[in-house]
Amino acid sequence: MKVNIQTHWKNILKDEFKKPYFLDLVDFVKDEYQQYRCYPKGSDIFKAFELSPFPKVKAVIIGQDPYHGHGQAHGLCFSVQDGIPKPPSLENIFKALHQDTGKPIPQSGDLSSWAKQGVLLLNATLTVRAHEAGSHQGKGWETFTNAVITALSEHRENLVFMLWGGFAKRKSTLIDKQKHLVLTSGHPSPLSANRGYWFGHKHFSEANTYLLKHGKTLIDW
């Protein structure tokens, strides 16, 4: 079976593609896309890997599910394409960015520019059925994306992992904290933000301070 994923990632993850869980996952996703409207479109399922090749990753942001509304998901967690209204969580991410760095809040919700600079925008589950949040959870994607996080932790050094919310924080057990910086906070969703668990962190500037310390180029957030 051929998986359409960026070459560096294909080499790193080649053993995963042969495992029974992944073969079952492929069958499940194919069936879902044939029977239902699913997001993102097939060519965007591995978009995060395409824009952030394994050797160029500098930071990792972990989401849970793709957006399940029409036209929203395009393969990058928290991101929407130009012309699509910014979801509340993304609005709160931009507000926190403004508070941290003073950078103006972007008009576009497309985070492709982050991804092209080495910010892996990774959802734990890479597909979803339209208007049914969590519909593709527990089918194998989490096993695959856990393998992605583990590979980055083991084979790279001095990366920044930004874990927002309880779900993402649980991924910290996969990360070697002696080799990497792990930043945690509440989730940027309105529920969490309104309870005071989101705003006030300085993850964007902290990430750049860490990257600069370790001889890496800064991220233009």
Side-chain angles (χ1 to χ4, degrees), residues 93-112:
I93 289 171
F94 285 158
K95 289 176 183 176
L97 172 63
H98 174 70
Q99 288 179 348
D100 181 7
T101 67
K103 187 181 179 74
I105 293 176
Q107 294 298 310
S108 170
D110 190 342
L111 302 180
S112 296

Side-chain angles (χ1 to χ4, degrees), residues 57-59 117 157-160 181 183 203-221:
V57 172
K58 293 186 286 190
Q117 296 176 77
E157 293 184 354
N158 307 133
L159 302 182
V160 181
L181 176 64
L183 301 174
H203 285 184
F204 305 99
S205 57
E206 286 182 34
N208 272 343
T209 297
Y210 180 84
L211 293 172
L212 185 63
K213 177 182 176 182
H214 292 283
K216 300 178 186 286
T217 56
L218 302 182
I219 297 165
D220 180 7
W221 301 105

